Amino acid sequence: MPEEGEKEYHKGGWCDSEALKEALRVLPFKGYLKDSFNKLSGDLCDCIETLYHDHPRNSETRRSFQCMLEVVELIKILPALINCDKDNSDIWSDELLERKIQDGGDPTLWREELTCVQTNTCNKSKFRLARSLCVQELRYLVDNLDLPNCYSIKEIQFYLLQRVKCILCTVSSSFRLYNVPMDNSPSDICWLVKKSEKLTLDLLIVDEAAQLKECETLIPLQLPGIRQAVFIGDEYQLPALVKSKISDNAKFGRSVFERLSMLGYCKHLLNVQYRMHPKISKFPVVTFYDGKISDGPNVTTKSYEKRFLASKIFGSYSFINVDGGHETTEKHGHGWKNTIEAAAVSRIVQRLFKESFSTGIKISVGVVSPYNGQVREISEKLGKSYDRYDGFSVKVKSVDGFQGAEEDIIIISTVRSNKAGSVGFLTNMQRTNVALTRAKHCLWIVGNGTTLSNSKSVWQKIVKDAQDRDCYFDADEDKDLSNAVFKAVIELDDADNLVEKMDSLDIGKPRSQV
């Protein structure tokens, strides 16, 4: 052997090493059988569990799926007997090497036979029964469960899609169903791919249909065989996002749901809500749904009302007035933010975390703002320290990002704070509806009550409603929150003063301008 090759040979660890000895070791029959059984039984269990969880079912395959469960149980029993350190010579000589297993057996009795195996205390008898039953059930699966003779992902996908009763997918990915062939020959799926007949579906159900553009909904609507379509959505919440004003004016974002509604097609109202505490649902139900929605029995029980913080301003529904707020735009004008409100929200989340950690109560919190600038500001203040605790979760998103979601507690930061009552797209009724209907147990709105009252928008009604229901509070009514707001105001004033001093000293300007 060349010198370099010899070095590599030694480096690989084969020469005069334990690895080489292990590779060349001749196992006795029992050892070989144990190793082979352990490997094959593990692979078989993985295969059966995959089939059990992922293979489509029907009434004809019910017995086969029951067999799968029983085989897995038997495979767990056999290794304990085969790998036992005690002398099992009676098992090895009499059962494993000589006795044959009879064909047949009554599948309806196999469940009882498995129970007998599990309760048997004699190793010899237990091994004989377990081995016999396991082989019988495996033979049954081979004879009765038709599986395709294919290995490519595409062919397996076709095989599964041809047998399922229900397919879940997005509207955009539903185009893949156009190329799925009909099931004409289970034994040769490669032949199926060449056939011109396509998979047909009878019923189409579209969820969040009011948030889809018409062109998107047309993708699944044109699938072969569709005879009935059901659209589920809420036209009073956010529609599809269209950034182009020209496209928006041309109604590009209009949904099929909205069009059918405009044409007078009959709609069925799901008139019971099961998410919000009645104190939370009261305003949106009256304002957006004409009072036609009632509260489900689960939300009207006394146990559904939860008080996570002791202060009176943190009830099921509260408007918390922060009148010292200061609205600004981010650098380059990329969205509004309010650092005072962000500090108040951050402090509330801190207190909720402490409460969850000390009591062990699981709490999920959602912080919602109409402006991405405020989302970034609050996210930066909160950081990622709360992610390490399993019992507490906090998500900070825009209103658009929270559509369809829900949390135990929702905190809304309205951001706008000015004397003119200018609130921008806070006036959007659909966006406001989404923001107000995400909470399960508590909804706390943090904002400038004066600005919102002067806005001549739906937010004017929200403030007035909170005042009429004694749910309107000033941040000063909670000492801890008041201190957090005061500290944020001081920091903001210091920052503003520093900027003014820098401007007066021409700091940061090019030398040519000084």
Side-chain angles (χ1 to χ4, degrees):
M1 181 180 291
E3 185 177 345
E4 291 298 322
E6 187 174 355
K7 288 181 180 178
E8 290 296 320
Y9 185 66
H10 282 276
K11 187 177 179 180
W14 287 99
C15 186
D16 298 327
S17 67
E18 292 299 323
L20 180 61
K21 293 179 181 179
E22 180 66 23
L24 299 177
R25 182 169 63 92
V26 178
L27 292 173
F29 178 72
K30 289 183 181 181
Y32 168 78
L33 189 62
K34 286 181 180 180
D35 289 352
S36 299
F37 176 84
N38 291 335
K39 181 181 184 304
L40 291 174
S41 62
D43 293 342
L44 180 60
C45 270
D46 292 340
C47 177
I48 290 177
E49 287 176 353
T50 299
L51 282 173
Y52 183 82
H53 291 296
D54 299 336
H55 194 285
R57 308 184 187 193
N58 56 44
S59 58
E60 296 176 357
T61 59
R62 184 179 301 169
R63 180 62 249 178
S64 294
F65 280 92
Q66 181 61 38
C67 276
M68 291 182 197
L69 287 178
E70 292 168 3
V71 167
V72 170
E73 287 297 316
L74 289 165
I75 291 176
K76 291 177 180 177
I77 292 172
L78 287 169
L81 298 171
I82 291 176
N83 297 313
C84 183
D85 293 332
K86 296 179 181 180
D87 182 17
N88 287 329
S89 57
D90 56 337
I91 292 178
W92 292 97
S93 59
D94 294 341
E95 302 300 331
L96 195 59
L97 302 179
E98 297 178 3
R99 180 166 298 194
K100 293 183 179 180
I101 297 173
Q102 299 298 321
D103 292 330
D106 186 353
T108 61
L109 301 177
W110 287 345
R111 181 70 248 179
E112 295 179 14
E113 292 180 21
L114 175 60
T115 303
C116 292
V117 171
Q118 293 170 328
T119 57
N120 201 314
T121 56
C122 173
N123 280 352
K124 181 176 180 180
S125 175
K126 187 171 188 173
F127 181 82
R128 177 177 58 80
L129 292 173
R131 174 174 173 257
S132 175
L133 183 57
C134 186
V135 173
Q136 286 182 50
E137 299 210 42
L138 285 172
R139 287 173 178 170
Y140 180 90
L141 289 174
V142 171
D143 294 338
N144 292 276
L145 187 63
D146 291 326
L147 296 176
N149 184 23
C150 62
Y151 298 95
S152 75
I153 293 177
K154 185 175 181 180
E155 291 173 353
I156 293 173
Q157 287 176 343
F158 283 170
Y159 171 82
L160 295 174
L161 287 171
Q162 289 156 356
R163 286 157 178 78
V164 294
K165 299 297 182 183
C166 179
I167 299 172
L168 304 179
C169 63
T170 62
V171 290
S172 57
S173 65
S174 65
F175 82 93
R176 298 178 183 177
L177 299 175
Y178 282 86
N179 298 319
V180 178
M182 289 285 287
D183 178 23
N184 292 319
S185 176
S187 61
D188 188 2
I189 199 162
C190 297
W191 176 80
L192 276 173
V193 178
K194 302 175 183 177
K195 300 294 288 182
S196 60
E197 296 175 285
K198 302 299 180 184
L199 178 72
T200 57
L201 302 169
D202 299 320
L203 173 65
L204 172 68
I205 301 176
V206 182
D207 193 18
E208 294 288 358
Q211 202 179 7
L212 292 171
K213 305 179 189 73
E214 285 182 305
C215 57
E216 294 173 324
T217 310
L218 287 174
I219 301 172
L221 269 178
Q222 297 183 84
L223 283 168
I226 295 293
R227 293 184 294 177
Q228 186 177 9
V230 177
F231 297 98
I232 304 171
D234 188 347
E235 59 193 310
Y236 301 112
Q237 296 199 4
L238 288 172
L241 176 63
V242 179
K243 294 185 177 181
S244 166
K245 290 185 178 180
I246 296 175
S247 298
D248 193 36
N249 292 334
K251 301 297 182 183
F252 179 70
R254 179 170 51 194
S255 64
V256 171
F257 191 98
E258 183 183 351
R259 181 185 287 275
L260 293 176
S261 179
M262 290 170 55
L263 292 174
Y265 277 78
C266 181
K267 293 182 293 186
H268 176 75
L269 178 66
L270 301 178
N271 59 358
V272 181
Q273 70 86 17
Y274 300 93
R275 173 188 295 159
M276 298 171 281
H277 187 276
K279 290 181 181 178
I280 302 172
S281 65
K282 184 176 181 178
F283 181 85
V285 165
V286 171
T287 306
F288 305 116
Y289 301 100
D290 298 326
K292 295 178 181 178
I293 296 179
S294 60
D295 298 315
N298 65 311
V299 301
T300 56
T301 60
K302 189 175 181 180
S303 61
Y304 204 77
E305 182 172 2
K306 298 182 184 295
R307 183 170 286 274
F308 295 96
L309 296 177
S311 177
K312 68 176 183 179
I313 74 172
F314 299 114
S316 297
Y317 178 70
S318 301
F319 186 100
I320 303 171
N321 177 40
V322 180
D323 57 8
H326 181 62
E327 66 175 35
T328 58
T329 55
E330 293 183 304
K331 293 180 180 179
H332 314 296
H334 291 163
W336 291 95
K337 66 177 183 178
N338 187 320
T339 56
I340 308 302
E341 281 188 21
V345 170
S346 177
R347 183 57 188 161
I348 294 171
V349 172
Q350 289 175 9
R351 289 170 63 177
L352 287 170
F353 174 75
K354 288 181 179 179
E355 185 69 17
S356 174
F357 187 80
S358 62
T359 62
I361 298 174
K362 291 186 176 181
I363 301 176
S364 63
V365 181
V367 178
V368 185
S369 179
Y371 298 99
N372 287 324
Q374 187 73 343
V375 170
R376 287 187 284 269
E377 180 72 17
I378 294 172
S379 297
E380 185 177 332
K381 282 187 175 295
L382 293 179
K384 296 184 179 181
S385 56
Y386 300 113
D387 297 342
R388 296 192 293 267
Y389 181 59
D390 292 336
F392 184 84
S393 67
V394 56
K395 298 174 183 175
V396 186
K397 295 182 181 179
S398 66
V399 177
D400 300 59
F402 248 107
Q403 175 144 320
E406 65 179 25
E407 303 294 344
D408 294 333
I409 303 167
I410 291 290
I411 307 171
I412 302 175
S413 175
T414 58
V415 179
R416 304 309 296 267
S417 180
N418 55 73
K419 295 179 181 179
S422 175
V423 294
F425 66 19
L426 273 178
T427 57
N428 184 289
M429 296 283 282
Q430 293 164 308
R431 185 168 279 104
T432 302
N433 185 17
V434 173
L436 295 177
T437 54
R438 301 302 97 200
K440 294 167 64 178
H441 304 293
C442 294
L443 173 63
W444 303 330
I445 305 171
V446 179
N448 187 315
T450 304
T451 298
L452 298 176
S453 293
N454 295 333
S455 67
K456 297 181 181 180
S457 70
V458 65
W459 286 93
Q460 185 180 48
K461 297 179 181 179
I462 292 172
V463 173
K464 179 66 167 57
D465 173 74
Q467 291 171 337
D468 293 343
R469 293 165 54 188
D470 294 326
C471 297
Y472 184 95
F473 305 94
D474 289 318
D476 294 345
E477 296 181 50
D478 182 271
K479 184 177 180 181
D480 181 77
L481 188 60
S482 178
N483 289 339
V485 170
F486 181 75
K487 182 180 178 182
V489 171
I490 296 297
E491 290 175 354
L492 182 62
D493 288 343
D494 290 343
D496 289 343
N497 291 335
L498 179 61
V499 171
E500 290 177 4
K501 289 180 181 179
M502 290 175 67
D503 289 341
S504 65
L505 295 172
D506 292 327
I507 296 175
K509 292 183 179 180
R511 290 184 179 274
S512 60
Q513 297 180 15
V514 178

